[in-house]
Amino acid sequence: MGITTDKFLRLQEQLLEEYIELDQQYYFHGNVVGFLSLGNPEQRCTVIPLLARDPKKLFAKMYSEIKRKVKERRQEFEWVKVDIAKDFEVKKFRDLNMDILKTKKNYFRKGFSLDRQFHYALLEQEINGNAILSNVGKSDTNAFNMDNLTNYFTKHKAIKKGKEVHMDDDVVIFNTDGKFIEEDTVISIHDEYYEHGRRKYEELTQEDIKNVIVHSSNYLAQQVQADGKFVYGYFSCFDKKINFYNSLRHASTVYSMIEGYELNRDPVLKDAIDRAIAYLIHKLIRIDENQNKAYVIDWENHQEIKLGANAAAILALTKYASTFNTTEHLLICEQLANSIVSFQQPNGSFNHVYTYPSFELKETFRIIYYDGEAAFALMRLYQLDQNSKWLLAVESAFEYFIDNDYWKNHDHWLSYCTNELTKFKPEEKYFAFGLKNVIRKMDFIYHRKTTYPTFLELTLAAYEMVERMQELKLDHLLEKTSVPELIKVIKKRAAYQLNGYYFPEVAMYFKKPERILHSFFIRHHSFRVRIDDVEHNISGYRRYFDLIHKLEGALYEEAK
């Protein structure tokens, strides 16, 4: 049900309670400056800047605007967001331009107005959602894409022509305090710099995490086409489809969907998983019956056979087997694993890339993640069939990893694999390796400003391993490890990664909100949404869901 004028009127009292007594930081030359964002899933929202002498008059104007827009469009709005500007700063356009040039791409998190009357005012979400700050490559001195700026003003602001901007012009920069209206609920919005624009959680609960997993796994289900192939992704600002495919990411995304299904027993999701599994087996995998081997082929990338793709396929198929209690795909898992073992060298390392159908070695090494992913896949298969061949291959690989200081890569797949290996081989050398893989990166992870999703996976797998160490009385190995600090890093990343999630209050500022709603994006990659961006977040949050109460309990015990 949409937001009607009557509903807004009822909620207006609640909103006024929040804003009735505003500090001076909310006033600009005697006026309160507000922004009314009105949106629906099928199109970019409309944002209306408004000025008034006090909050009561401002909300009266907002009520009138909603009434006018509903009548004009003959349509209610599903989403309404109210922002009140604050912390105003006036500076020259040239100084704003320099500030943005020094800021990571798409990480400028304030609004600005090109005039003091706020006719040419833009929220931070409008600026970034329309690629207004993208450098078009013509100059390294201009942070603005003036074409995008002009187009946005003319198409979405009812301004007949764009505003000429000169370097010596004054601009007003501001922060905002926002509320998002969803059905009958008023939701508080973050005003902190890096969290800006998305909903606040007093404390991230297990139910909150479940909602994210359910919604994002449903999003992935929607990307599975009739033949089982995914829509690979979009650049959100202008709804530009990514015309590329990657067989490794197909398989790893299916793995995360099955993780999501454990909390989200939706038959639509199950049907999407089955279609994607069928596509993996019948379109992406080729079997050599004579050699009893199978290979995942990356058809769109020079018909490559990649170590990581074989590993991802095993992970998806073994996860399917354990979740749905079936041995249907066990043989093909063994064939894929036979190929991985054949890629392994006498020193324990793996060759990474071959060419199909010649099977010529193309690259001995491509990316560090393939090694840990391969070892993790063999461990997962070993759990199912208890074939010592896979365990011996992993042990050989770990000798190579340890001798060559692979812990310096801080790889989440190695964290997963070390955790699994120590369940069967609880040897100190493996525990020590697993600790170094995460502990020496904790400060960096805690302060990282991008929503790098695999950090949550890395730290959670390490925490599971630490729990096992405590159970085995291996406390001497933990003398240089602060378990409470590890937990704090995990909690920080779990909360922080939501800055890369398309809540409706974030998605509404992009061209096609319904296309990206409840997915995860990479801000500095032009708000890219790709299936693997979503899958890594699901995997991390799925593990966090299982461990959240243990993490809270451990912190409580430490505090006593």
Side-chain angles (χ1 to χ4, degrees):
M1 184 178 176
I3 310 297
T4 63
T5 49
D6 289 341
K7 182 179 288 187
F8 185 79
L9 198 59
R10 290 198 305 273
L11 294 172
Q12 192 171 315
E13 292 302 317
Q14 184 178 342
L15 290 166
L16 270 172
E17 284 180 17
E18 300 275 351
Y19 295 113
I20 195 65
E21 294 184 9
L22 294 179
D23 297 333
Q24 276 305 114
Q25 63 179 328
Y26 288 88
Y27 283 87
F28 184 78
H29 290 209
N31 283 312
V32 180
V33 182
F35 295 83
L36 179 66
S37 300
L38 305 172
N40 285 306
E42 64 272 8
Q43 62 188 25
R44 197 187 301 272
C45 69
T46 297
V47 184
I48 305 164
L50 297 163
L51 276 67
R53 287 295 178 183
D54 58 56
K56 191 170 183 179
K57 289 185 174 66
L58 181 67
F59 281 108
K61 283 188 174 184
M62 287 184 177
Y63 170 77
S64 297
E65 285 293 336
I66 293 175
K67 191 174 181 179
R68 182 175 69 83
K69 286 292 186 182
V70 168
K71 184 177 180 181
E72 180 183 295
R73 297 192 180 197
R74 298 178 183 178
Q75 179 187 17
E76 295 171 355
F77 292 95
E78 189 165 328
W79 303 318
V80 173
K81 181 163 164 275
V82 171
D83 285 282
I84 311 294
K86 64 178 181 178
D87 303 328
F88 300 94
E89 180 184 5
V90 179
K91 60 170 59 178
K92 296 299 181 184
F93 182 81
R94 70 171 68 255
D95 295 327
L96 171 62
N97 185 66
M98 286 305 300
D99 287 346
I100 294 167
L101 285 174
K102 295 173 185 176
T103 303
K104 190 176 183 67
K105 183 179 179 182
N106 298 325
Y107 271 79
F108 182 80
R109 306 303 304 276
K110 290 189 177 183
F112 60 74
S113 179
L114 300 178
D115 68 317
R116 291 171 179 263
Q117 295 73 41
F118 291 84
H119 297 306
Y120 292 90
L122 297 171
L123 292 170
E124 179 270 334
Q125 289 75 28
E126 294 179 274
I127 296 164
N128 285 315
N130 290 276
I132 286 169
L133 299 184
S134 64
N135 190 308
V136 293
K138 296 177 182 177
S139 168
D140 59 2
T141 60
N142 184 8
F144 287 79
N145 184 320
M146 300 307 292
D147 289 338
N148 288 354
L149 178 64
T150 300
N151 288 340
Y152 184 67
F153 276 133
T154 55
K155 290 180 181 178
H156 296 279
K157 291 290 189 179
I159 296 173
K160 297 301 181 186
K161 60 181 180 179
K163 178 174 171 38
E164 284 192 19
V165 185
H166 304 284
M167 286 295 176
D168 287 324
D169 288 349
D170 284 343
V171 292
V172 185
I173 302 158
F174 55 87
N175 192 8
T176 54
D177 188 333
K179 306 291 178 186
F180 180 69
I181 300 172
E182 192 172 44
E183 297 180 350
D184 290 313
T185 306
V186 176
I187 299 169
S188 293
I189 300 297
H190 269 291
D191 62 348
E192 291 87 349
Y193 192 81
Y194 289 104
E195 288 81 11
H196 195 277
R198 59 96 170 169
R199 64 190 61 192
K200 285 183 181 178
Y201 292 98
E202 294 302 321
E203 187 71 29
L204 197 58
T205 67
Q206 195 176 46
E207 189 61 28
D208 296 328
I209 299 160
K210 181 178 179 179
N211 285 336
V212 169
I213 294 168
V214 168
H215 280 120
S216 52
S217 57
N218 282 340
Y219 170 83
L220 287 179
Q222 293 165 12
Q223 306 316 303
V224 180
Q225 301 170 94
D227 64 353
K229 187 178 182 180
F230 287 95
V231 175
Y232 195 59
Y234 297 92
F235 290 107
S236 306
C237 292
F238 304 115
D239 191 36
K240 185 179 178 182
K241 190 174 179 181
I242 300 173
N243 294 314
F244 180 73
Y245 213 69
N246 183 303
S247 57
L248 189 161
R249 291 174 183 145
H250 177 104
S252 56
T253 299
V254 178
Y255 174 82
S256 73
M257 291 170 71
I258 301 170
E259 289 183 300
Y261 182 81
E262 292 171 333
L263 297 182
N264 178 21
R265 301 273 173 172
D266 187 335
V268 174
L269 177 57
K270 173 61 163 59
D271 183 63
I273 291 168
D274 285 336
R275 293 200 311 277
I277 286 283
Y279 188 88
L280 171 64
I281 292 172
H282 300 298
K283 299 293 185 180
L284 300 179
I285 292 176
R286 289 295 177 266
I287 298 171
D288 183 339
E289 300 285 1
N290 295 326
Q291 298 289 324
N292 197 28
K293 294 177 183 177
Y295 309 91
V296 179
I297 314 300
D298 201 343
W299 297 106
E300 296 186 25
N301 190 20
H302 309 293
Q303 297 190 177
E304 290 182 343
I305 301 168
K306 295 183 289 193
L307 173 69
N310 263 39
I314 292 172
L315 289 170
L317 295 171
T318 54
K319 185 66 176 176
Y320 189 94
S322 59
T323 301
F324 299 109
N325 193 28
T326 177
T327 58
E328 179 184 0
H329 307 306
L330 189 56
L331 175 59
I332 199 168
C333 286
E334 292 171 352
Q335 292 167 331
L336 290 163
N338 281 334
S339 295
I340 287 177
V341 171
S342 73
F343 295 171
Q344 192 169 32
Q345 303 307 294
N347 65 357
S349 67
F350 294 98
N351 286 334
H352 280 198
V353 185
Y354 291 82
T355 301
Y356 183 83
S358 68
F359 296 102
E360 291 180 8
L361 178 62
K362 184 174 182 179
E363 294 179 36
T364 56
F365 180 88
R366 173 170 290 179
I367 186 169
I368 196 67
Y369 299 124
Y370 285 0
D371 299 277
E373 196 169 11
F376 181 42
L378 293 176
M379 284 307 307
R380 280 292 172 87
L381 181 55
Y382 176 72
Q383 290 176 26
L384 284 184
D385 69 5
Q386 298 297 297
N387 186 337
S388 61
K389 180 180 180 180
W390 319 133
L391 182 58
L392 289 171
V394 173
E395 290 181 279
S396 176
F398 261 80
E399 292 304 312
Y400 182 81
F401 298 157
I402 292 168
D403 289 344
N404 289 274
D405 292 332
Y406 263 47
W407 63 266
K408 291 180 179 179
N409 299 300
H410 308 293
D411 171 19
H412 63 288
W413 291 117
L414 277 177
S415 192
Y416 276 141
C417 185
T418 311
N419 181 42
E420 297 299 324
L421 178 59
T422 53
K423 291 177 182 177
F424 300 92
K425 293 284 183 175
E427 298 179 20
E428 290 194 7
K429 62 181 178 180
Y430 299 141
F431 285 122
F433 176 87
L435 286 176
K436 286 194 287 187
N437 191 43
V438 65
I439 297 305
R440 300 192 186 187
K441 192 76 168 179
M442 285 207 309
D443 187 65
F444 177 85
I445 293 172
Y446 187 87
H447 292 102
R448 180 72 177 256
K449 297 306 180 187
T450 58
T451 56
Y452 200 70
T454 57
F455 283 158
L456 186 57
E457 297 180 88
L458 167 65
T459 51
L460 282 165
Y463 177 76
E464 284 190 49
M465 188 190 71
V466 166
E467 276 195 310
R468 189 171 309 105
M469 295 170 71
Q470 292 171 329
E471 291 168 3
L472 294 170
K473 309 299 183 186
L474 296 173
D475 296 39
H476 62 283
L477 293 176
L478 294 169
E479 288 176 358
K480 296 181 180 179
T481 303
S482 172
V483 178
E485 286 301 313
L486 175 59
I487 294 171
K488 288 176 184 176
V489 170
I490 290 169
K491 287 172 64 66
K492 168 74 179 292
R493 292 312 301 181
Y496 194 81
Q497 278 178 211
L498 291 177
N499 295 319
Y501 181 66
Y502 273 128
F503 291 105
E505 64 268 20
V506 180
M508 66 191 291
Y509 294 94
F510 293 82
K511 184 173 181 179
K512 196 80 170 176
E514 63 188 358
R515 193 98 73 193
I516 56 175
L517 187 63
H518 301 307
S519 66
F520 285 87
F521 62 88
I522 304 298
R523 176 176 286 271
H524 57 284
H525 288 166
S526 302
F527 294 92
R528 180 195 74 198
V529 172
R530 213 167 59 187
I531 55 174
D532 57 308
D533 299 326
V534 182
E535 55 127 319
H536 282 299
N537 279 283
I538 289 176
S539 292
Y541 281 116
R542 179 66 189 85
R543 194 163 289 233
Y544 189 61
F545 176 89
D546 287 339
L547 290 174
I548 186 169
H549 292 313
K550 284 186 177 182
L551 293 165
E552 296 294 344
L555 281 181
Y556 175 76
E557 287 299 319
E558 181 71 22
K560 285 201 307 184

